[in-house]
Amino acid sequence: MGETVILLELKKRYFIRLSYKGSNFHGWQIQPNASTVQEEVNKALSTVLNQAINVVGCGRTDTGVHASDFMAHFEVEESFEFDCEKLAFKLNRFLPYDIAINEIFRVKADAHTRFDAIARTYVYRITKRKNPFRKESHWQIQHVLDVAKMNDAAKILFEYIDFTSFSKLHTDVKTNNCKISKAEWLETADELVFTIKADRFLRNMVRAIVGTLVEVGRGKMDLAGFRKVIESKNRSNAGSSVPGHGLFLVKIEYPDDLRAEDV
């Protein structure tokens, strides 16, 4: 009997760099009966390319969370051709105004927006006074905060790698270890901005860290207490998660060799 030969057509993979305002979405990832960024991008790509496309994101963002630098990838058959700049232009005309495609480029066949990321940077914004133009981008807080003490507590994060205390419970990750390389508060006359960078983040991690640091700033927790929260590896010991609308994913970094060599 002769052997049956199945020919599988090779795929080409592309990265999409996009930005979105999360106010009108229930986060990135598709979910039933809710509007999500992934759903909108899938719909736009499938329509413009006239084939079923499912994008894979570099991670999840929760309801209301924004991203000025988010990456996703998708695949098409090797024989399918299109111009990346023209595709980005068409997608931007199709997508709602709160989602913008910034760049599309071909990458190696095994490049992955989530697993190949080497660093992510988030920013959390707090406004000290009522400002109608910051309603969807800042958390308004009335309390006077000791920013110097909050920065002292933030430095303690560099001493640890297990951040179970700041992770959403019952997630499917294999490890709660992360390496934080930057964590600092900057204060202006009417705004507080927290920037944090790490190789990876756990679900809800940044919002839980900010909430706990705010407790330090309000004098409800001292530096020793902050350290104990981390060492306890117990989410219930940390502060409450701050609202999602003040959180932005602002930068995601990859190795330099992910782009396809033949383009």
Side-chain angles (χ1 to χ4, degrees), residues 57-254:
C58 61
R60 299 174 179 176
T61 55
D62 293 331
T63 298
V65 175
H66 317 286
S68 56
D69 187 28
F70 191 93
M71 294 291 264
H73 70 255
F74 69 97
E75 290 182 330
V76 295
E77 302 295 340
E78 181 73 32
S79 59
F80 189 80
E81 298 290 341
F82 60 84
D83 181 276
C84 288
E85 287 190 18
K86 290 181 179 179
L87 177 59
F89 177 79
K90 290 178 181 179
L91 290 174
N92 278 324
R93 294 190 66 182
F94 190 92
L95 286 163
Y97 198 77
D98 37 15
I99 302 175
I101 305 300
N102 301 319
E103 183 184 15
I104 300 175
F105 55 94
R106 188 175 172 187
V107 294
K108 295 178 179 178
D110 60 349
H112 198 288
T113 50
R114 178 183 174 189
F115 300 128
D116 286 329
I118 56 177
R120 296 169 169 85
T121 303
Y122 282 90
V123 162
Y124 195 87
R125 301 183 182 278
I126 294 175
T127 183
K128 300 180 186 179
R129 60 174 67 106
K130 185 176 181 180
N131 184 328
F133 300 105
R134 291 178 173 176
K135 181 180 179 182
E136 296 178 332
S137 62
H138 292 63
W139 176 38
Q140 183 183 347
I141 188 168
Q142 306 291 343
H143 307 288
V144 176
L145 301 176
D146 186 335
V147 180
K149 188 69 66 66
M150 292 162 67
N151 269 325
D152 287 340
K155 292 175 184 177
I156 295 174
L157 295 168
F158 302 141
E159 303 175 25
Y160 297 89
I161 60 171
D162 188 332
F163 294 103
T164 302
S165 295
F166 300 123
S167 173
K168 186 173 183 178
L169 299 175
H170 312 301
T171 58
D172 56 358
V173 297
K174 295 179 180 179
T175 175
N176 287 336
N177 288 356
C178 310
K179 185 176 181 181
I180 296 176
S181 54
K182 182 176 183 178
E184 66 176 3
W185 290 91
L186 294 178
E187 183 178 22
T188 65
D190 63 347
E191 183 184 32
L192 280 171
V193 178
F194 179 64
T195 302
I196 184 167
K197 177 179 177 179
D199 59 344
R200 62 190 292 266
F201 287 92
L202 308 172
R203 289 286 305 278
N204 208 232
M205 178 175 165
V206 179
R207 292 165 60 193
I209 287 176
V210 172
T212 311
L213 289 173
V214 167
E215 289 202 359
V216 173
R218 294 180 61 188
K220 289 190 167 187
M221 182 185 297
D222 59 17
L223 298 183
F226 185 77
R227 189 183 297 276
K228 287 180 181 178
V229 166
I230 301 173
E231 294 178 352
S232 73
K233 301 178 184 179
N234 187 331
R235 177 65 184 90
S236 62
N237 291 332
S240 300
S241 293
V242 292
H245 64 265
L247 183 60
F248 293 74
L249 174 60
V250 298
K251 189 174 184 180
I252 182 160
E253 300 172 48
Y254 293 93

